[in-house]
């Protein structure tokens, strides 16, 4: 059965009109789903009995099953959810001064193969539907409703490559952003990509107000190809050209994500190359402490060296932030909770 959360407002309008209901019924339904966050059609008291019956017969509704919830000392909440086909995914909520940001997963596993990332330990099984991404948002929001917290920001930075699941991600964001629903502002929404160039161009042409973050992580092709296989398909020259195109069409600031790996991408040579790469853009560089992953040999740059890297960039005119670590005491690295859980499940099955 199709998930009701797969349908954006426009699709709900068509659904209503095609089946002999009224256009305003779509508004009512949308508000029930995302403002009141009602999880049973039966309780949607201002919908006709016929519409409620029609919906219940044809669409599924309801929150995701929470397999695990870890709450960190700093307030980070990390959820392991189960999807209807039994797959498990991670969603994280992080608290900042400016609000509460949800990190949404876009695929079950990931095929991009970045060598430092725990998500890639489990290969892509499938794309998430728009509704499954909406469900992450709704389930987390329902969980924190009682704490009086509202999700104010979305980053599509969980497991998966959002531009490898482009249409579903865009539908999800339209639903999250819609005025009649949760109304999360487009400027509070960020999509992060490892650099799928054709999709960056497509995104550029859509002229949304969403923020675009690029997982750069290395300022030259030799190193970037080593860290991120996607760079072999779309090397830095092509990536930068696509970003120039994006900036021409959109008057938006870009951000570059740069995890700091000791003795790998934190050298003075990297500083100079990064200065050259960023010069041509209105860009913010987010320096990110690396969350240790057991399965690979990378080590995070220590705090003092990270500060030095930051200062060198700043003194050469690159705007950047050194992000603080979140959820240090829980399995906060992307895909870590899930890969441990799935690993445990495999062992259980073997025993
Ligand atoms: N595929 C998309 C979005 C998911 S990854 C992308 O590549 O942008 C989200 C971000 O987390 C990326 O910048 C990724 O490189 C980074 N990341 C992956 N593993 C990490 C780790 N162990 N520590 C810190 N950041 C990590």
């Amino acid at each position: 059965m199709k998930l009701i959360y797969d349908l954006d407002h426009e699709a709900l309008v068509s659904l209503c009109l095609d089946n002999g209901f009224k256009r305003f019924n779509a508004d009512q339904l949308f508000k029930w789903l995302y403002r009141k966050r009602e999880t049973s059609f039966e309780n949607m008291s201002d919908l006709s009995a016929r519409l409620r019956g029609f919906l219940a017969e044809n669409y599924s509704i309801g929150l995701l099953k929470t397999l695990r919830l870890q709450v960190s000392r700093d307030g980070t909440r990390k959820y392991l959810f189960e999807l209807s086909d039994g797959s498990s995914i991670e969603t994280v909520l992080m608290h900042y001064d400016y609000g509460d940001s949800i990190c949404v997963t876009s695929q079950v596993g990931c095929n991009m193969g970045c060598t430092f990332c725990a998500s890639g330990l489990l290969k892509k099984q499938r794309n998430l539907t728009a509704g499954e991404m909406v469900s992450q948002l709704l389930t987390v929001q329902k969980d924190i409703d009682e704490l009086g917290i509202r999700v104010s920001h979305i980053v599509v930075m969980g497991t998966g490559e959002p531009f490898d699941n482009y249409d579903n991600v865009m539908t999800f964001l339209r639903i999250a952003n819609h005025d009649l629903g949760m109304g999360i502002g487009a400027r509070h929404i960020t999509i992060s990509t490892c650099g799928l160039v054709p999709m960056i161009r497509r995104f550029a042409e859509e002229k949304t107000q969403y923020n675009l973050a690029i997982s750069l992580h290395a300022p030259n092709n030799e190193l970037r190809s080593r860290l991120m296989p996607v760079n072999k398909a779309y090397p830095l020259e092509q990536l930068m050209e696509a970003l120039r195109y994006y900036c021409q069409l959109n008057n938006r600031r870009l951000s570059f994500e740069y995890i700091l790996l000791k003795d790998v991408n934190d050298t003075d040579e990297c500083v100079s190359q990064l200065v050259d790469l960023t010069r041509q853009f209105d860009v913010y560089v987010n320096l990110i402490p690396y969350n240790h992953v057991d399965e690979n040999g990378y080590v995070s740059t220590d705090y003092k060296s990270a500060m030095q890297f930051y200062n060198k960039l700043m003194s050469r005119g690159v705007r950047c932030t050194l992000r603080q670590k979140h959820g240090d005491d829980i399995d906060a690295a992307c895909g870590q909770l899930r890969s441990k859980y799935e690993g445990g499940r495999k062992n259980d099955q073997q025993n």
Side-chain angles (χ1 to χ4, degrees):
M1 211 190 293
K2 207 171 155 135
L3 192 56
I4 194 71
Y5 309 126
D6 278 323
L7 278 62
D8 63 9
H9 184 264
E10 207 181 296
L12 288 181
V13 170
S14 306
L15 178 80
C16 286
L17 295 179
D18 292 350
N19 292 282
F21 302 100
K22 296 277 186 281
R23 177 178 288 273
F24 76 86
N25 291 141
D27 293 355
Q28 290 174 308
L29 176 57
F30 203 85
K31 285 185 199 162
W32 275 112
L33 292 173
Y34 304 115
R35 282 227 187 129
K36 299 183 190 133
R37 302 190 264 283
E38 176 54 58
T39 54
S40 156
F41 293 122
E42 202 39 51
N43 295 337
M44 300 183 175
S45 50
D46 59 359
L47 302 188
S48 67
R50 187 170 84 81
L51 178 51
R52 279 181 275 148
F54 170 83
L55 291 169
E57 238 167 66
N58 295 290
Y59 290 91
S60 62
I61 184 171
L63 302 178
L64 293 171
K65 180 174 166 198
T66 303
L67 295 170
R68 297 260 196 290
L69 167 60
Q70 296 181 337
V71 182
S72 153
R73 281 187 297 271
D74 63 19
T76 303
R77 300 169 81 80
K78 181 145 194 163
Y79 301 81
L80 187 71
F81 290 133
E82 186 175 73
L83 303 176
S84 57
D85 68 351
S87 313
S88 63
I89 54 163
E90 292 180 9
T91 307
V92 185
L93 183 79
M94 287 162 295
H95 180 72
Y96 295 92
D97 296 340
Y98 57 76
D100 289 271
S101 180
I102 189 177
C103 178
V104 170
T105 280
S106 58
Q107 297 177 319
V108 180
C110 183
N111 275 348
M112 296 300 124
C114 299
T115 54
F116 48 80
C117 177
S119 296
L121 294 172
L122 301 167
K123 287 287 154 233
K124 172 174 148 185
Q125 285 158 19
R126 64 177 179 85
N127 284 333
L128 293 197
T129 69
E132 287 171 328
M133 290 179 261
V134 172
S135 299
Q136 295 173 56
L137 173 61
L138 265 184
T139 308
V140 169
Q141 184 57 63
K142 284 280 270 194
D143 179 46
I144 58 175
D145 269 341
E146 57 199 45
L147 303 173
I149 306 172
R150 197 179 81 86
V151 176
S152 58
H153 290 67
I154 297 176
V155 292
V156 189
M157 285 193 191
T159 298
E161 168 50 46
F163 279 177
D164 185 33
N165 184 16
Y166 190 91
D167 292 332
N168 291 346
V169 167
M170 289 301 162
T171 303
F172 155 58
L173 294 178
R174 264 197 312 281
I175 295 171
N177 172 241
H178 201 284
D179 283 348
L180 292 176
M182 294 178 66
I184 297 175
R187 288 170 179 248
H188 287 186
I189 293 173
T190 301
I191 304 174
S192 178
T193 178
C194 64
L196 296 181
V197 161
M199 289 307 176
I200 292 175
R201 290 179 169 273
R202 178 167 166 199
F203 180 71
E205 287 162 7
E206 292 204 17
K207 299 190 182 176
T208 67
Q209 296 289 307
Y210 306 139
N211 303 298
L212 180 62
I214 305 296
S215 294
L216 189 69
H217 304 324
N220 64 65
N221 279 324
E222 185 268 318
L223 181 56
R224 194 160 190 271
S225 293
R226 203 149 35 96
L227 298 178
M228 305 176 69
V230 68
N231 195 69
K232 293 176 197 156
Y234 304 112
L236 282 169
E237 296 75 23
Q238 285 184 35
L239 177 60
M240 294 301 140
E241 199 184 307
L243 295 178
R244 277 192 291 275
Y245 183 62
Y246 170 83
C247 291
Q248 270 166 22
L249 295 183
N250 298 266
N251 191 18
R252 308 280 298 144
R253 175 186 285 162
L254 279 174
S255 50
F256 286 167
E257 311 286 307
Y258 198 97
I259 47 175
L260 285 166
L261 301 168
K262 184 173 160 59
D263 300 332
V264 176
N265 65 356
D266 62 354
T267 59
D268 281 347
E269 195 189 0
C270 286
V271 171
S272 302
Q273 291 169 340
L274 202 47
V275 170
D276 287 342
L277 274 187
T278 51
R279 210 191 308 272
Q280 50 190 321
F281 300 111
D282 180 12
V283 61
Y284 227 95
V285 178
N286 285 318
L287 301 172
I288 308 169
Y290 178 60
N291 276 311
H292 183 74
V293 175
D294 290 340
E295 287 79 357
N296 63 43
Y298 298 112
V299 177
S300 182
T301 304
D302 60 79
Y303 183 71
K304 200 172 143 225
S305 312
M307 269 314 278
Q308 284 168 356
F309 194 89
Y310 167 87
N311 284 328
K312 284 177 202 161
L313 284 177
M314 288 290 273
S315 69
R316 295 177 67 177
V318 180
R319 274 166 306 168
C320 50
T321 51
L322 182 57
R323 264 208 222 146
Q324 59 186 37
K325 263 195 180 179
H326 280 264
D328 229 4
D329 51 332
I330 58 177
D331 294 314
C334 319
Q336 220 168 42
L337 176 60
R338 172 167 177 259
S339 69
K340 276 192 191 168
Y341 175 80
E342 294 286 337
R345 201 149 77 159
K346 262 192 219 111
N347 291 340
D348 288 348
Q349 279 162 5
Q350 278 160 8
N351 291 337

